[in-house]
Amino acid sequence: MVSAGSGAPQEPSGVGDAQEIERHKRLAARAAAELVQDGMLVGLGTGSTVAYLLEALGERERELGEARFAATSPATEITARALGLEVRELDELGELDLAIDGADQVDPQGWLIKGGGAAHTREKIVAASARRFVVIVSAEKLVGALTPPVPLELIGFGVQSTLRRLEQSQLRAQPSARVGVGSAVASGSELVQRSPDGGLIADYLGPVGDPRELEARLSAVAGVIEHGLFEPEMVSLILSGGEDGVVSRAGAKPATP
């Protein structure tokens, strides 16, 4: 069941209970899957909540026979294909009817932080290519204010110079046990995570403050390919799963015919 709500931050019962959080992710993902219809062109995000979306879409594979999908990461593409979904390059599909993705944080104004899975540049391109962009989260991702880290994708050339200009930023180490969507590259004595397209992944660790001001500042630094701040005007709908089911909150993106 999907209900309308104010979008105020809320926590699922037992927010520390991993099983409950996973259940809430699944609720939001399955609600979003119902928005996908036969013949649609759909963008698929990346991450643990999207994994439940793919599962739900795979169960409807016969019903969605003419739907076509664009994936934001190799991991999503591999899983979608294995479930019988037809995945094409974004440029083959053109404008999408719908894109669905998760988020690391959602604030009361609808600002998002994304990029924990190192695919935020592709995710932003796909979201911008869709007439509707639907965000799926568990309720603990709804926050009163955005907090660091803010993911960044950087060009490798002159990366230390870029980091100095960014201030309060550092390259993201690739955890040895992490199953990510990107790869890793040696930088000094550690492995640095890369995006699916080879950019170096870093995190801005300073205060967020006004997200729009920070967005402009990060975008203005030479060497930054993309940051993980998504403005409210990109988002059509936020579906959050919690103890009371799924809450639906309208985004700030104008409806398109």
Side-chain angles (χ1 to χ4, degrees):
M1 172 180 162
V2 179
S3 60
S6 65
Q10 57 179 297
E11 293 186 351
S13 59
V15 67
D17 185 331
Q19 289 185 335
E20 275 297 282
I21 291 173
E22 294 304 309
R23 185 176 71 85
H24 297 163
K25 289 179 182 178
R26 183 181 285 109
L27 285 173
R30 288 189 168 271
E34 292 301 315
L35 300 175
V36 180
Q37 302 298 321
D38 187 16
M40 278 188 169
L41 304 179
V42 181
L44 301 172
T46 292
S48 59
T49 309
V50 170
Y52 292 121
L53 170 71
L54 298 177
E55 175 184 84
L57 293 174
E59 292 171 2
R60 298 175 58 208
E61 179 263 332
R62 290 180 181 272
E63 177 186 340
L64 300 174
E66 296 301 316
R68 302 291 182 268
F69 300 88
T72 54
S73 69
T76 295
E77 180 175 355
I78 290 168
T79 301
R81 289 188 187 279
L83 291 168
L85 304 178
E86 184 166 342
V87 180
R88 301 281 186 88
E89 293 294 328
L90 177 61
D91 284 342
E92 291 182 51
L93 299 181
E95 184 183 49
L96 303 175
D97 297 300
L98 177 67
I100 306 172
D101 204 352
D104 303 319
Q105 298 179 46
V106 182
D107 84 355
Q109 288 71 47
W111 279 92
L112 315 178
I113 289 181
K114 293 176 48 56
H120 54 279
T121 300
R122 286 192 180 194
E123 290 169 343
K124 191 171 285 189
I125 291 169
V126 167
S129 300
R131 294 168 59 205
R132 296 183 69 205
F133 175 40
V134 175
V135 176
I136 50 175
V137 293
S138 51
E140 96 282 358
K141 298 296 180 71
L142 304 177
V143 299
L146 300 181
T147 58
V150 177
L152 304 166
E153 183 173 353
L154 308 178
I155 292 173
F157 177 80
V159 68
Q160 294 303 324
S161 176
T162 301
L163 290 169
R164 283 194 296 273
R165 290 193 301 278
L166 283 165
E167 302 178 341
Q168 297 178 279
S169 301
Q170 65 182 30
L171 293 172
R172 184 191 298 174
Q174 171 84 353
S176 58
R178 180 172 180 167
V179 179
V181 301
S183 58
V185 60
S187 177
S189 60
E190 65 179 356
L191 291 176
V192 177
Q193 192 170 16
R194 282 188 179 267
S195 76
D197 298 295
L200 295 178
I201 298 301
D203 291 298
Y204 169 77
L205 304 174
V208 174
D210 182 338
R212 206 170 294 278
E213 290 182 5
L214 180 60
E215 175 189 44
R217 186 169 82 77
L218 296 176
S219 295
V221 175
V224 173
I225 297 171
E226 192 53 84
H227 54 75
L229 287 167
F230 283 55
E231 60 187 15
E233 293 80 7
M234 295 188 71
V235 180
S236 304
L237 182 68
I238 299 165
L239 298 175
S240 57
E243 60 182 47
D244 297 324
V246 178
V247 173
S248 172
R249 168 180 154 198
K253 184 173 184 174
T256 56

